[in-house]
Amino acid sequence: MPELPEVETIRRYLNASLPHWQVQAVVHLDERMVKHSPVGPEEIRDRLTGATFTRVERMGKFLLLSMSTNGALLLHLGMSGRLVLEDSVVPRQRHTHLVLDLGSRELRLVDPRRFGRIAWATRPYSQSLHLGVDPLSRRFSGQVLYQLLAGRTTAIKTALLNQQLVAGIGNIYADEALYAARIHPARVAGHLTREEVDRLARAIRKVLRVSLAHRGTSFSDYVDALGHPGANQYYLNVYGREQLACRRCKNLIQREVLGGRSSHFCPRCQPQLPPAVTTMVEQGARHAEI
DNA sequence: ACCACATCCTGTTAGC
DNA sequence: TGCTAACAGGATGTGG
C-alpha cells in the first residue's frame, strides 16, 4: 500500500520525466474514481486536454501533477493504486481507470480496489486536504509531535494513522516506527512522555528515510512509476511478521486489531505499560522477591 | 473537538 | 475440487 516513501518514489521519477510533456488526449477516465473533486469528470477532461505538465508534488500520500493551465491533477493511490508511465504499445492492465496520452507514452492509473481518488485541485492545494505536518519536513520534531498528541485519548497507533496530525504514515510505517521507538501501539497517545515522543519522532523519520532509500515497500501491490517493486519489505521488523521471532529479543511478534487495523509489535520490546508504571512493577517484583 | 465505527472495493486466501 | 466467507486497509461520513 503506497505510503509516504512509495508515493515520494513515484513523485521523484515523474517530476524528472513529466514536465514539458503535453496531454494529447484523455483516453480514459473512470467517473467512479472522481471523488471529492471541486469539478466533475468532464471538466477534468477539458482542463487536462492540451495542457502541459509543469511539476509533480507530494502532500502526504497525495500526488499533485501541476499543469501549465493553472491547476493540478490530484491523485491518491489508495490501497492498490499504481501510477505508471509507460510506452503506449505496452498493453494496458486490468482495472486501468485513467489513461493520459502523452504522445509516445501514456500515464496510467491502475487500481483494482478502487480506493484511490482522481480530483482536480487549485492553489493553495493544502486547503482542501486537511493534512498535518509532513514527517520529513523541518517542521516535524518531537516537540511538535508531543503537542499534536497532547490530550488525545486514542491509541498512539491510531493517532499516527490520522493524516490530519502527521501526513504520510500508513499501517506499515506506523507499526515499524512504534517498534523502533519501543512503544506499544495501544498506549494512549496523550499519555506518552516527552522522551518517548522524541524517540517516536526520530523513529518515524528514520523508518521513512530508510524505506525511501529502498524505493519503498512492495508488500502486495506497490510498484513505482516504471513498474518496479521496492526492496524495503526485506527490512521490515514487525509488519507481516506475526509469530516470527523479534530480531532484537527473539520473542514472537504479536498481531492485534486496533481501530479496525492490524497492529504488529513485540510484546517484550514494546511494553503495554508506560515507563513509570513498568518501573514500579519491577520494584514491586523486587520487593516481592525479598 | 474528539473518538469509534461503518463504508467503499475486489483479489486473495482460508475454511467447509 | 469448488464454492462461500473472511480479510486486507486508504480516507471519509455519521453518530455518540
Side-chain angles (χ1 to χ4, degrees):
Chain A
M1 43 229 90
E3 305 179 29
L4 189 153
E6 292 77 30
V7 178
E8 179 63 17
T9 299
I10 293 170
R11 185 202 71 80
R12 288 180 180 182
Y13 177 75
L14 292 183
N15 193 50
S17 308
L18 278 185
H20 310 303
W21 284 70
Q22 186 186 37
V23 178
Q24 306 296 313
V26 178
V27 180
H28 177 59
L29 172 60
D30 189 322
E31 300 190 355
R32 286 176 291 176
M33 293 296 290
V34 178
K35 304 165 192 174
H36 310 100
S37 175
V39 303
E42 283 311 309
E43 187 71 22
I44 293 176
R45 278 179 175 274
D46 287 348
R47 295 188 186 195
L48 284 173
T49 306
T52 300
F53 291 102
T54 53
R55 63 176 170 152
V56 182
E57 295 163 81
R58 177 188 60 78
M59 294 187 68
K61 302 174 199 170
F62 289 89
L63 279 169
L64 284 146
L65 285 64
S66 292
M67 311 302 298
S68 55
T69 49
N70 191 26
L73 178 63
L74 176 71
L75 298 176
H76 196 290
L77 300 179
M79 261 269 300
S80 58
R82 299 175 167 196
L83 186 62
V84 290
L85 181 61
E86 48 197 8
D87 196 293
S88 303
V89 301
V90 175
R92 290 183 201 139
Q93 296 176 59
R94 197 162 134 84
H95 306 298
T96 298
H97 306 311
L98 176 69
V99 179
L100 301 183
D101 174 13
L102 308 181
S104 57
R105 297 190 290 180
E106 286 181 352
L107 185 66
R108 300 165 172 173
L109 177 69
V110 184
D111 185 7
R113 266 158 267 191
R114 292 181 177 274
F115 274 28
R117 185 204 294 191
I118 298 171
W120 191 258
T122 50
R123 289 193 182 279
Y125 300 143
S126 56
Q127 279 193 338
S128 58
L129 299 179
H130 305 113
L131 292 176
V133 61
D134 188 295
L136 292 188
S137 74
R138 286 192 198 90
R139 278 182 54 215
F140 184 72
S141 66
Q143 184 180 347
V144 166
L145 184 58
Y146 188 75
Q147 283 170 3
L148 287 170
L149 299 176
R152 299 207 172 249
T153 58
T154 193
I156 182 59
K157 165 66 184 285
T158 307
L160 290 180
L161 294 179
N162 183 349
Q163 302 299 299
Q164 297 189 28
L165 299 179
V166 182
I169 301 172
N171 210 33
I172 294 176
Y173 301 114
D175 283 0
E176 293 297 320
L178 287 167
Y179 172 81
R182 302 180 185 241
I183 296 169
H184 192 286
R187 293 275 307 284
V188 175
H191 291 180
L192 297 183
T193 66
R194 179 58 202 274
E195 286 72 27
E196 288 177 314
V197 176
D198 280 344
R199 233 159 55 214
L200 181 55
R202 280 196 297 274
I204 288 168
R205 292 179 83 110
K206 179 165 188 187
V207 159
L208 294 176
R209 284 216 179 98
V210 166
S211 178
L212 191 49
H214 293 135
R215 303 180 57 78
T217 302
S218 290
F219 198 81
S220 51
D221 298 292
Y222 169 72
V223 292
D224 66 19
L226 282 163
H228 300 151
N232 198 61
Q233 60 275 20
Y234 303 115
Y235 301 88
L236 297 178
N237 286 312
V238 283
Y239 189 86
R241 300 196 69 246
E242 185 184 9
Q243 293 303 316
L244 295 177
C246 168
R247 301 192 204 278
R248 271 198 301 244
C249 77
K250 305 304 174 197
N251 254 49
L252 295 186
I253 300 299
Q254 302 293 307
R255 189 178 78 92
E256 269 179 34
V257 175
L258 267 171
R261 300 287 174 261
S262 65
S263 292
H264 310 72
F265 62 96
C266 170
R268 189 159 159 190
C269 295
Q270 298 163 267
Q272 175 97 48
L273 300 169
V277 178
T278 305
T279 306
M280 291 193 315
V281 169
E282 285 169 358
Q283 285 170 351
R286 270 185 228 113
H287 283 296
E289 283 166 25
I290 299 163

